[in-house]
Amino acid sequence: MPFAAITYDIKPGYEAELAAIFGDFKRVRSSRVQDERGEAAGTILATAVFLRDDTLVRVIEYTGDLEAVARHMASQPGVREVEAKLKPYLSKPRDTDTVEGFVATFKRSLLNTVAQISVRDIPSAA
């Protein structure tokens, strides 16, 4: 399963406030991702958030099309709420108020995958 990681440039010194924002996160209504035609386009399997100094990273494990995943996330109330709550703590503004803005910001914030290894990728011994 692929992973994606997106970064947030934040003001340092607000670790407790940022942890509280993500601690109150409302899960997405469904982990199933649909494309613009309503057809299955993937699944969000897991997410994790990491923070140090002035960098926050959200890691997403998913299946399917990453742009469809970003569009799905953009429409979720919990994601929209987190993005709004993060605004005062950002050192660089993010345009996430619209689906198009969210997807564009998601793409700009995406880290390049250098390596990805999982025990699920190892064929089981027979």
Side-chain angles (χ1 to χ4, degrees):
M1 308 299 165
F3 292 87
I6 57 173
T7 61
Y8 297 75
D9 298 310
I10 58 168
K11 299 172 187 172
Y14 293 100
E15 290 82 0
E17 293 86 346
L18 294 164
I21 289 169
F22 283 96
D24 291 337
F25 179 73
K26 294 179 182 78
R27 290 188 47 85
V28 295
R29 285 184 235 146
S30 172
S31 60
R32 294 187 187 123
V33 174
Q34 297 179 336
D35 64 17
E36 294 166 350
R37 297 182 310 266
E39 296 181 24
T43 307
I44 296 175
L45 301 172
T47 61
V49 178
F50 301 88
L51 171 63
R52 186 179 68 200
D53 300 329
D54 62 351
T55 303
L56 186 138
V57 178
R58 179 185 286 190
V59 177
I60 305 150
E61 183 181 19
Y62 68 98
T63 65
D65 179 64
L66 185 56
E67 185 164 339
V69 168
R71 287 189 173 285
H72 176 77
M73 290 175 63
S75 67
Q76 299 303 306
V79 173
R80 298 187 67 74
E81 182 180 323
V82 163
E83 289 289 331
K85 287 180 176 180
L86 288 175
K87 285 185 180 195
Y89 304 104
L90 298 174
S91 61
K92 293 181 184 173
R94 295 167 61 90
D95 175 21
T96 58
D97 293 336
T98 64
V99 170
E100 293 75 20
F102 183 96
V103 171
T105 299
F106 186 98
K107 288 178 179 179
R108 274 193 311 278
S109 303
L110 193 61
L111 295 172
N112 292 326
T113 302
V114 175
Q116 188 171 290
I117 301 167
S118 171
V119 296
R120 292 174 287 200
D121 299 331
I122 301 170
S124 58

